[in-house]
């Protein structure tokens, strides 16, 4: 061997050894680092967060979720969305702005199947469902006058944003996207600290990264639509590998109605103001962002199986697992790209 080359190798050997030893120590440290867990209530629902880190971050994560609450919660009288609904002058903050823009884009993409102004109709029909009767047709038609995503828009004045409503009676409700957005905010906070292994869940909406405490991929069950599911005792339809993805499920397991021998979930179409005549019972969507998965899962419940397929073909970045009623029998359709993520039950 050339003496010069031999001398270079002699000098490089200690550095290579140091690099290998350092890598081994880092891996060992990561393996020994504990997984932290925190849970509680936010947005009127339960949250559960698991992450691998050397100390507890619950206070910081709760503060992040409360920021989302202050922007998007209808139950918080001082929130941005509550002030908009009460026609109080309010400048919208960055969180509200981001969610509003995403909601409007998805509304346009789904031709109004997703609509953050639909709450008055949902509430009207919900009351009717509880009494076992349909609401007055005139009441439905009246509310349709104040429902429609095109009837709200952003107004800009010297870089300050506010929401302009075509009718002061219009109410905004971001509940079909806010939980997913809250998950995204927490996940972003964890990533910013260099945390690679975590699971964030708020009200059933989920985002994951890396591996679980058992050194395995994150696996999430999808509940089979049934009366038991409404009580939290449902049988699993399947289990999905959700590693490095976000997942959201929309499905009204508590309220079914039967028509022509078929079973339908109570889902209101914002365009007609009446229950959809599609037989999807549950829509689970995987996406890079949980807010997007949340909103599209709701959209698919309105659009039905064929409508959902059209959207999915246009958006290959989305994956869906749809449970529907096939003349009295539970059937499943899922995106071909989801094949290797389905683990059975």
């Amino acid at each position: 061997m050339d003496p010069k080359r031999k001398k270079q190798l002699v000098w490089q050997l200690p550095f290579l050894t140091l690099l290998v030893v350092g890598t081994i120590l880092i891996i060992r440290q990561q393996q020994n680092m504990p997984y932290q867990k925190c849970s509680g209530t936010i947005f009127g629902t339960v949250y559960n967060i698991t992450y691998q880190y050397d100390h507890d971050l619950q206070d910081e994560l709760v503060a992040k979720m409360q920021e989302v609450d202050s922007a998007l919660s209808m139950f918080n009288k001082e929130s941005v969305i509550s002030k908009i609904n009460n026609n109080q002058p309010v400048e919208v903050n960055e969180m509200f702005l981001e969610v509003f823009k995403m909601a409007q884009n998805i509304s346009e993409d789904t031709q109004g199947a997703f609509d953050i102004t639909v709450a008055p109709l949902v509430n009207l029909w919900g009351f009717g469902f509880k009494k076992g009767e349909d609401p007055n047709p005139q009441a439905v038609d009246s509310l349709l006058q104040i429902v429609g995503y095109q009837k709200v828009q952003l107004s800009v004045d010297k870089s300050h944003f506010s929401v302009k409503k075509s009718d002061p009676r219009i109410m905004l409700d971001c509940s079909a996207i806010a939980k997913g957005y809250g998950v995204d905010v927490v996940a972003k906070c964890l990533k910013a600290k260099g945390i690679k292994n975590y699971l964030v869940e708020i009200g059933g909406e989920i985002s994951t990264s890396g591996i679980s405490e058992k050194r395995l991929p994150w696996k999430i069950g999808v509940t089979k639509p049934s009366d038991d599911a409404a009580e939290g005792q449902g049988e699993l339809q399947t289990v999905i590998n959700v590693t490095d993805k976000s997942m959201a499920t929309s499905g009204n397991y508590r309220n079914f109605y039967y028509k022509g021998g078929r079973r339908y979930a109570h889902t209101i179409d914002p365009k007609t103001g009446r229950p959809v005549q599609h037989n999807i019972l549950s829509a689970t969507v995987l996406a890079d962002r949980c807010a997007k998965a949340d909103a599209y899962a709701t959209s698919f419940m309105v659009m039905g199986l064929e409508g959902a397929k059209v959207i999915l073909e246009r958006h290959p970045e989305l994956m869906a697992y749809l449970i529907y009623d096939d003349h009295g029998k539970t059937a499943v359709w899922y995106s071909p790209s989801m094949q290797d993520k389905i683990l059975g039950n």
Side-chain angles (χ1 to χ4, degrees):
M1 180 182 290
D2 179 57
K4 190 176 180 181
R5 177 63 178 159
K6 187 175 182 180
K7 190 175 181 180
Q8 285 179 335
L9 288 174
V10 170
W11 278 102
Q12 288 175 354
L13 189 59
F15 293 106
L16 290 171
T17 303
L18 186 63
L19 181 63
V20 171
V21 171
T23 302
I24 292 172
L25 289 174
I26 290 172
I27 293 173
R28 185 172 294 175
Q29 183 183 24
Q30 288 177 339
Q31 289 177 337
N32 293 333
M33 189 179 292
Y35 275 72
Q36 311 288 342
K37 297 182 180 181
C38 62
S39 60
T41 56
I42 196 78
F43 316 147
T45 189
V46 176
Y47 70 83
N48 294 282
I49 306 168
T50 301
Y51 54 97
Q52 189 180 27
Y53 202 52
D54 56 9
H55 64 274
D56 187 354
L57 296 171
Q58 181 159 4
D59 289 346
E60 187 172 345
L61 299 180
V62 168
K64 284 292 182 185
M65 289 187 283
Q66 287 175 339
E67 284 183 42
V68 179
D69 185 86
S70 295
L72 300 168
S73 174
M74 293 179 67
F75 303 103
N76 180 345
K77 293 180 181 179
E78 298 302 314
S79 71
V80 172
I81 198 168
S82 290
K83 289 179 179 179
I84 291 169
N85 286 341
N86 291 327
N87 298 304
Q88 297 175 245
V90 58
E91 180 183 343
V92 302
N93 60 19
E94 287 186 16
M95 285 188 170
F96 181 92
L97 192 62
E98 185 177 6
V99 170
F100 184 85
K101 286 180 176 179
M102 184 186 296
Q104 294 295 80
N105 287 338
I106 294 174
S107 292
E108 188 172 345
D109 187 45
T110 60
Q111 297 182 322
F114 183 78
D115 195 324
I116 59 173
T117 69
V118 77
L121 282 168
V122 173
N123 293 337
L124 178 68
W125 279 94
F127 180 74
F129 290 152
K130 290 175 184 175
K131 295 186 68 177
E133 59 189 38
D134 290 349
N136 186 303
Q138 285 75 30
V140 173
D141 292 338
S142 175
L143 288 181
L144 276 172
Q145 304 306 308
I146 59 169
V147 169
Y149 73 95
Q150 306 98 326
K151 297 173 184 177
V152 289
Q153 57 185 315
L154 289 172
S155 177
V156 188
D157 180 20
K158 297 178 181 178
S159 76
H160 298 299
F161 290 90
S162 59
V163 172
K164 183 180 179 182
K165 301 190 286 185
S166 65
D167 188 306
R169 297 173 298 165
I170 292 172
M171 305 286 285
L172 302 184
D173 181 355
C174 292
S175 59
I177 193 172
K179 288 185 297 181
Y181 181 73
V183 169
D184 289 334
V185 167
V186 173
K188 184 178 180 181
C189 180
L190 295 174
K191 285 179 183 176
K193 295 183 177 298
I195 297 172
K196 293 181 171 56
N197 301 318
Y198 62 77
L199 181 146
V200 181
E201 181 259 331
I202 302 178
E205 320 305 9
I206 293 164
S207 184
T208 74
S209 177
I211 56 176
S212 72
E213 195 170 8
K214 297 178 180 178
R215 322 305 301 177
L216 295 170
W218 297 103
K219 295 179 287 187
I220 309 297
V222 176
T223 306
K224 182 178 293 186
S226 67
D227 292 335
D228 290 337
E231 307 301 326
Q233 302 172 345
E235 178 185 351
L236 289 183
Q237 178 75 40
T238 193
V239 176
I240 298 175
N241 178 347
V242 194
T243 298
D244 300 324
K245 281 287 184 182
S246 294
M247 170 177 145
T249 298
S250 180
N252 195 338
Y253 300 149
R254 191 179 301 276
N255 292 319
F256 294 126
Y257 69 99
Y258 293 85
K259 185 174 181 179
R262 302 173 75 180
R263 181 175 49 157
Y264 299 87
H266 281 315
T267 303
I268 306 304
D269 186 335
K271 289 176 286 188
T272 67
R274 290 161 175 79
V276 297
Q277 293 296 303
H278 301 304
N279 54 342
I280 289 186
L281 303 175
S282 167
T284 295
V285 175
L286 269 64
D288 291 334
R289 295 193 62 182
C290 197
K292 183 178 283 190
D294 201 358
Y296 275 105
T298 300
S299 303
F300 293 166
M301 291 295 296
V302 174
M303 301 180 80
L305 187 59
E306 297 309 315
K309 287 180 181 179
V310 171
I311 294 291
L312 291 163
E313 193 170 321
R314 196 160 67 232
H315 290 281
E317 76 279 10
L318 300 176
M319 292 181 276
Y321 185 94
L322 308 175
I323 305 173
Y324 62 99
D325 184 277
D326 185 12
H327 297 91
K329 294 181 180 180
T330 299
V332 169
W333 180 92
Y334 54 82
S335 304
S337 58
M338 205 168 182
Q339 176 71 53
D340 61 348
K341 293 186 173 295
I342 297 173
L343 306 174
N345 56 3

